Amino acid sequence: MKAKEQYCAFRTIVDKEVIRILRIWMQTLLPSAITMTLYFLIFGKFIGSQVRDINGFSYMEFIVPGIIMLSVITNSFMNVVSSFFSTKFMRSVEEILVSPTPNWIILIGYAAGGIFRGLLVGLIVLLVSLFFTHINIYNFGIIIIFILLTSIVFSLGGLLNAIFAKRFDDISIIPTFVLMPLTYLGGVFYSISVLPAFWQGISLLNPILYMVNGFRYGFLGISDINIWIGFGMLVIFAAILFYINLHLMKKGTGLKT
Amino acid sequence: MSETALSIKNLKKTYKGKVEALKGIDLEVKKGDFFALLGPNGAGKTTAINIIISLTNKTSGQVKVFNYDIDKELGKAKTCIGVVPQEFNFNIFEKVFDIVVHQAGYYGIGKKTASKRAEKYLKQLDLWEKRNATAQALSGGLKRRLMIVRALIHEPELLILDEPTAGVDIEIRRSMWKFISDLNTKGRTIILTTHYLEEAENLCRNIAIIDKGKIIENTSMKNLLSRMDKDTFIFDITTPIKKVPQLKDHKINILDPTTIEIEILKKQNLNRLFEHFKKNNIEILNMRRKTARLEELFMGLVNKK
């Protein structure tokens, strides 16, 4: 395939994904907006008003970046895992597999769909947060780098999950039992500095802590960790997941017999 | 472009659990041919097709499509093939027009060209009126036709049809036969698998029969049919009868009071038979060949092996 044809195939996958996301907005966009509004209301407003400032910022200001990141992680992952698994389930994935579209185009096409949904939901949650607090911007470049890299990593993670999934149950195991606990324990609602030393050490093993803190640094200029370690981890995770997915697709794991 | 549309050499496939689906098959399909690949259920037809279109990984062997080796030039080989699979494999929530145009996109065909082609083929297969309907709203026959349109959207040289008329009523089946025949007449190579042997007999010029992962017959349809040493004819008669007097060397059955079936060996002449009818005051209204010749040969070959 020539470069122009490859771009056409890529656009086809992305357009399909974007149309799907917007068509079923009540499933893809609305739930996060409602859930996160409740988080702002309950944790930020009701409980947060009883919590003292963290590094000079109100509790509401502190949790906004984490809650945005929580929605980006969940939506990027869920978009790719559900969309790609559905094509496997309906066998419409065969439409692409019999075509000359290279595997890497399929991979980045579906990842782009996940990134689009992740960023769109992130933007919606950011807009919702404006009803509750004002937004500080410490470093816009860092915000963009962290949100983009995080959505890339979790879109690729969703694809990996979808490749191995055989039943619909399989696409909810990772989000429920891995992603959700790691995200909640990843410093979305608290700074790890309030934890005992032992749990601080344990928390440092959680990669989502680095993503949340890097992103928060872009807004508030404060972080529990060195954000460059977070940046490095994201780049490495993205590269590893890209390679693993590409290798599995080439082998035909979960796609071919 | 190569004169050989498809070349398969010593193709083997062993699934996990050591199930040998293909035990080293060789096959060659010439450009412009209308080729039947027949075999009982589980014989290995779909496995062979899925290897050609790269939905199944082969264990060993070589597959070339218009001289493009699928191990070395898979992209180019795929561009030459259009496939109509046995099972429906589209997103049932997508609109008919979108399914076809998106498929073109996967082949690098821009929306403008794709839309024009989609209109052309959807009209040819009487699907244009349904272009804005979702695939789930189509009947079984229309879904089959949609898969044909989708397979043609990148205008492939080789069209592989895996039981394209399964579960389709006779009217739609006949219109599909005509459409496929016209495609072949215009130069497109077609490989057909079907359980309707009458379909293969009427449409295909060459044939391979696969059974238990091996090719047990590979010849021209004419040559295969010429091996039949007998034919069965159906006679419609004017006056109803209850019993027909038997004639030596012929097997005569009454199907109903005005229809009789007679087995005639190729070496036997028909005059004797007509004289026999005349002598017994049986008046023949019409006579036709029973169209199940290939079926009989097929059963003979498969059972023999």
Side-chain angles (χ1 to χ4, degrees):
Chain A
M1 258 184 143
K2 292 173 190 161
K4 198 179 161 190
E5 292 168 335
Q6 287 179 345
Y7 176 69
C8 181
F10 171 73
R11 276 293 304 271
T12 303
I13 299 169
V14 176
D15 287 355
K16 267 182 83 168
E17 282 300 291
V18 169
I19 290 167
R20 188 188 68 86
I21 291 163
L22 298 179
R23 192 185 69 229
I24 53 168
W25 61 273
M26 283 180 75
Q27 292 172 47
T28 53
L29 307 177
L30 193 60
S32 287
I34 292 172
T35 311
M36 300 310 157
T37 303
L38 290 171
Y39 281 175
F40 287 135
L41 205 60
I42 296 163
F43 293 110
K45 209 81 183 166
F46 302 155
I47 300 172
S49 60
Q50 312 295 314
V51 178
R52 68 170 192 270
D53 286 358
I54 301 171
N55 292 324
F57 294 99
S58 69
Y59 187 65
M60 180 67 92
E61 285 173 299
F62 181 82
I63 64 168
V64 164
I67 287 179
I68 294 172
M69 198 53 121
L70 172 65
S71 51
V72 170
I73 288 171
T74 315
N75 282 279
S76 299
F77 188 92
M78 283 314 294
N79 191 71
V80 184
V81 76
S82 61
S83 175
F84 197 74
F85 180 71
S86 296
T87 67
K88 274 176 60 175
F89 186 77
M90 284 192 273
R91 300 183 57 182
S92 59
V93 70
E94 291 176 5
E95 291 178 332
I96 311 182
L97 296 179
V98 301
S99 79
T101 304
N103 289 329
W104 68 271
I105 294 278
I106 301 173
L107 197 158
I108 63 166
Y110 274 93
I115 294 163
F116 171 78
R117 178 166 152 193
L119 296 185
L120 186 58
V121 171
L123 182 66
I124 291 169
V125 174
L126 177 73
L127 294 175
V128 168
S129 72
L130 291 174
F131 289 101
F132 298 93
T133 184
H134 71 278
I135 298 296
N136 301 286
I137 304 287
Y138 178 75
N139 188 321
F140 191 68
I142 287 176
I143 292 173
I144 295 297
I145 287 171
F146 269 85
I147 201 167
L148 200 60
L149 280 173
T150 303
S151 61
I152 290 171
V153 165
F154 285 94
S155 295
L156 292 171
L159 185 64
L160 185 63
N161 189 171
I163 285 173
F164 282 109
K166 290 187 174 130
R167 299 163 302 163
F168 273 102
D169 292 351
D170 299 340
I171 66 171
S172 60
I173 289 172
I174 302 287
T176 310
F177 297 105
V178 181
L179 276 189
M180 199 55 86
L182 285 182
T183 312
Y184 278 71
L185 296 171
V188 171
F189 296 105
Y190 57 87
S191 163
I192 60 164
S193 61
V194 299
L195 299 176
F198 173 77
W199 290 108
Q200 277 190 37
I202 295 289
S203 294
L204 290 172
L205 299 173
N206 179 358
I208 292 178
L209 177 83
Y210 296 82
M211 300 169 195
V212 170
N213 272 276
F215 190 58
R216 181 177 289 134
Y217 183 83
F219 283 95
L220 308 178
I222 56 165
S223 172
D224 289 335
I225 48 97
N226 181 339
I227 61 156
W228 295 111
I229 294 175
F231 173 76
M233 280 175 78
L234 279 168
V235 172
I236 291 167
F237 281 148
I240 290 172
L241 284 167
F242 184 87
Y243 174 78
I244 292 173
N245 278 320
L246 199 61
H247 175 70
L248 292 172
M249 288 174 88
K250 192 180 171 193
K251 245 177 88 180
T253 305
L255 300 169
K256 298 182 182 182
T257 48
Chain B
M1 191 163 264
S2 166
E3 284 306 303
T4 304
L6 177 69
S7 162
I8 293 176
K9 283 183 184 152
N10 199 23
L11 185 63
K12 291 182 183 175
K13 173 66 188 176
T14 306
Y15 286 107
K16 277 178 191 169
K18 311 258 176 188
V19 179
E20 266 190 295
L22 295 175
K23 296 169 183 168
I25 63 165
D26 296 293
L27 207 60
E28 193 167 298
V29 179
K30 294 279 177 209
K31 187 185 171 192
D33 198 358
F34 204 136
F35 192 91
L37 182 62
L38 306 183
N41 285 333
K45 303 183 298 289
T46 301
T47 298
I49 288 172
N50 282 346
I51 290 172
I52 298 165
I53 61 174
S54 79
L55 287 183
T56 295
N57 293 324
K58 62 187 166 65
T59 304
S60 64
Q62 187 188 53
V63 177
K64 284 184 178 179
V65 181
F66 286 100
N67 227 14
Y68 295 124
D69 191 324
I70 64 163
D71 289 330
K72 294 169 190 160
E73 296 175 288
L74 182 59
K76 285 180 179 169
K78 282 175 165 180
T79 307
C80 298
I81 309 172
V83 64
V84 178
Q86 207 177 101
E87 311 274 346
F88 301 127
N89 67 344
F90 38 68
N91 183 340
I92 56 169
F93 304 112
E94 257 190 289
K95 288 179 184 173
V96 167
F97 191 80
D98 293 344
I99 288 174
V100 180
V101 171
H102 288 152
Q103 187 66 23
Y106 300 142
Y107 286 83
I109 299 163
K111 271 193 178 153
K112 205 175 157 189
T113 310
S115 298
K116 277 186 191 166
R117 285 191 198 171
E119 184 177 346
K120 180 176 99 177
Y121 289 117
L122 287 172
K123 279 181 176 169
Q124 282 181 13
L125 278 151
D126 295 329
L127 272 167
W128 183 242
E129 299 296 316
K130 300 277 184 188
R131 66 189 179 279
N132 290 320
T134 54
Q136 65 180 338
L138 301 182
S139 66
L142 292 179
K143 282 178 184 157
R144 294 256 166 229
R145 285 195 264 175
L146 171 59
M147 292 208 292
I148 295 178
V149 173
R150 191 184 58 180
L152 288 171
I153 197 68
H154 62 290
E155 306 202 319
E157 284 291 315
L158 171 64
L159 185 63
I160 300 175
L161 304 155
D162 195 0
E163 297 185 28
T165 55
V168 167
D169 72 44
I170 189 66
E171 196 187 341
I172 295 179
R173 200 184 308 162
R174 290 215 167 140
S175 71
M176 282 164 75
W177 288 353
K178 184 172 179 329
F179 181 77
I180 295 164
S181 283
D182 288 347
L183 288 175
N184 180 245
T185 309
K186 286 172 191 162
R188 200 159 272 144
T189 311
I190 294 175
I191 297 174
L192 172 78
T193 83
T194 179
H195 283 295
Y196 301 110
L197 299 188
E198 179 197 356
E199 187 168 279
E201 188 178 334
N202 289 335
L203 295 171
C204 301
R205 282 190 288 281
N206 290 297
I207 180 169
I209 296 176
I210 185 168
D211 187 30
K212 297 185 182 97
K214 284 182 178 173
I215 300 280
I216 57 170
E217 191 58 74
N218 188 359
T219 182
S220 70
M221 188 66 76
K222 201 174 161 186
N223 186 23
L224 186 66
L225 292 174
S226 70
R227 287 188 214 165
M228 286 209 75
D229 55 353
K230 63 185 176 194
D231 252 337
T232 305
F233 286 89
I234 308 287
F235 292 84
D236 296 320
I237 56 176
T238 49
T239 318
I241 54 168
K242 281 185 182 168
K243 197 178 165 191
V244 66
Q246 290 295 321
L247 179 65
K248 199 183 167 206
D249 301 331
H250 285 290
K251 193 178 161 194
I252 305 177
N253 294 319
I254 298 183
L255 299 180
D256 63 58
T258 57
T259 317
I260 53 178
E261 181 188 85
I262 306 175
E263 248 182 39
I264 300 164
L265 295 174
K266 283 212 162 154
K267 60 184 181 188
Q268 288 175 324
N269 94 41
L270 296 174
N271 290 353
R272 194 169 145 256
L273 188 68
F274 284 110
E275 279 166 21
H276 177 68
F277 284 140
K278 201 174 173 185
K279 205 164 78 183
N280 288 285
N281 293 322
I282 296 172
E283 200 173 303
I284 309 286
L285 192 66
N286 189 14
M287 159 187 179
R288 63 185 182 276
R289 177 184 265 150
K290 191 176 175 183
T291 53
R293 296 182 301 164
L294 185 57
E295 199 167 303
E296 283 173 34
L297 275 166
F298 177 82
M299 291 309 294
L301 282 164
V302 170
N303 290 334
K304 195 167 81 184
K305 301 281 166 177

